[in-house]
Amino acid sequence: MTISEMTRQAPVLSTRDTIRRAAGLIQGSEGAAVLVASNGQIVGTVDESSIARFLSASENLEEALGSPVEPLVQPSPVFVNSALTLREAAEIFGSADADMLPVIDERGGYRGVIYRSDLIGTLT
């Protein structure tokens, strides 16, 4: 089995989307982060921790929630190829501090994400 069989679609934000939208998408997803794209390419993620830090440092919560996510984007440390085996994906999750990883095809095109919890559930 390869991870392409476990890949799921996940919401993707634009760098111009608001922190409110990012928080809402994270809340409705299975992970603690959401992918961010610019010009059609995945550029990183925004996670709950970075949102919490930003909001706690803000004087005006409503204004902060309306701010773009761009300053909070953390580069995605790893992209995984859709042809990887589950064991190879487990090795990557073992060294990556992420609960989901973007999946790309052999041409570098975005295919979706694989969640660590799905992988562990399948392996066990």
Side-chain angles (χ1 to χ4, degrees):
M1 177 182 263
T2 64
I3 63 169
S4 65
E5 296 165 296
M6 295 183 64
T7 300
R8 292 203 262 158
Q9 291 306 307
V12 178
L13 293 171
S14 158
T15 54
R16 295 180 307 271
D17 277 319
T18 65
I19 291 170
R20 175 179 278 114
R21 179 161 162 68
L25 288 175
I26 291 170
Q27 186 176 19
S29 76
E30 295 185 38
V34 66
L35 296 171
V36 181
S38 179
N39 298 322
Q41 296 290 320
I42 303 296
V43 295
T45 61
V46 171
D47 64 21
E48 290 173 324
S49 296
S50 61
I51 291 172
R53 279 191 303 275
F54 182 79
L55 294 177
S56 69
S58 299
E59 304 239 348
N60 182 326
L61 186 58
E62 280 305 309
E63 186 177 301
L65 287 168
S67 299
V69 297
E70 187 169 23
L72 304 183
V73 175
Q74 302 162 2
S76 187
V78 161
F79 289 83
V80 293
N81 186 288
S82 58
L84 289 180
T85 65
L86 298 183
R87 186 174 301 250
E88 291 167 327
E91 288 176 23
I92 292 169
F93 271 116
S95 61
D97 183 27
D99 65 348
M100 73 168 175
L101 295 172
V103 178
I104 57 172
D105 61 23
E106 60 281 350
R107 289 175 265 129
Y110 171 68
R111 307 308 303 158
V113 298
I114 183 168
Y115 289 98
R116 182 177 51 216
S117 60
D118 287 349
L119 178 67
I120 298 304
T122 298
L123 291 174
T124 58

